[in-house]
Amino acid sequence: MACKDPSVLVIGAGLAGLAAGCHLIKGGLTRVTVLEAGDRIGGRIHSVPFGDDGETEDPATVELGATWIHGKGPVNELAKTFDLIDCDLTEDEYYGMYVGSNGTKCNEELVRKAREEFRKIIEELYGNKLSASSKTLYPTILEYIQYRLDQVVETLPDNDRNEFKDICRTLTKVEEENHGAALEDVSVFIPDSITPGNNISLTGGYSALISRLAHTVTDKRIHLKTEVINIDYTNPEEVNVLCESENGAIMYTADHVIVTISLGVLKNDHQILFNPGLPFEKIASISKLGYGTASKIILRYKTPFWSQHEGMKLVWRNDTTESNTNLPSWAKCLYTFNAMAANPYTLDVWLCGEEGKEIETIPNDVIALVLTTVLRQFLNDPTIPEPDSILKTSWFSNRQFRGSYSYIRVGSTVEDVRILAMPLVAKDNKPVLLFAGEATDIDYLASTHGSLNSGIREANRLLMRQMNTFISHVKPC
């Protein structure tokens, strides 16, 4: 007896969706369609050329979304398979020239001490070395960091303490990049997600990885500009997915639907997306988990004025408060100007959490003026020019994403990640709706490793079901 080849709809053509589609096709399920609301594939991976001004070298690729492969994980192996590994970026995230808002370099010995102690604290947090009592006393990452740093400050000479605290405040802002949120909102009950290792860049940018996966799925199966309006799984035998496309409304039907839309969109739109509504347990986890915003501003200059291999860490000194009063509040949350190894004419700036959301609403010319003012103040150089061009992300304001990546918010745990990842099944244990994406992966939460892992996980769930169905229909000899 022949087994029916089930149809599968994958919602979202980001890394998770394309990984799921690619794995299904390689596993023998060919009736796969990927629906993508936007006009491009890649999701929160978006590599673009930047800086074609006719006066410098050809524009280099810059990353608006995922920037590196963080540490060791499944994306490393996939990139090796495609021969896309470019180079290890051996410098760590705390690397750079530390300069104060008073226009002078910070004490190098204090910088070394702060980096060393901060790294120990982060290793304690991510290595699950905290006792249960410590987690109870210091339930947020910020509270634990402050508790540990206070212990270090007590060992320092009085005249070093203020500068040390200022340097550590900058390091705390650097750590916010990993969550896209203020650390007072991030729980200490975090998974030990990323295996230690250098950040790794990709030849041709991160989108080269996406292109290779899409090549396997094929353009025919990927439907761009097809926005999902409603997923009706009232009848588990045939899920109906209503979409809005360039040609008007269109209805797709499938045996299984893999949902890879972001946690931000689930938070905002789950009530209108699913019919019937999602189970209470899953809604509760969607609500409790955090979804951060990490905004990036990329600046292009005809003539670099910085060291090609060294970015700048900004240390706001308490003794220069008056000189900062004319700056907007978001500017005082700036903490780094990163030199980009692949593009010697470019600096990038990150802002996370509420400031990351705010910066998306501010005109580029205003941003350029403020950033130039900050650079002139910190480097004590009034001749620093404004950038020739500026590029800014808009992950939060984009309704197809509503932010950047997930985190364990205070009040949530990794159990909420597990619940989010659970498929909705019919009475015969058929997985009707399956959920993938970085927010559903406990091992690699908030990373491209998690996106890839989760897409393959859900594809394997369907492939195993198909295999079991096939075996159950094979008659013994």
Side-chain angles (χ1 to χ4, degrees), residues 196 306 327 366 380:
W306 60 92
L327 293 171
V366 175
N380 195 22

Side-chain angles (χ1 to χ4, degrees), residues 17 55 158 184 201 342 380 427:
E55 297 183 25
D158 289 347
E184 60 260 33
S201 61
N380 195 22
K427 291 181 179 179

Side-chain angles (χ1 to χ4, degrees), residues 4-9 31-32 253-257:
K4 176 189 174 185
D5 183 7
S7 59
V8 183
L9 282 177
R31 298 174 62 204
V32 176
T253 60
D255 298 296
H256 312 278
V257 175

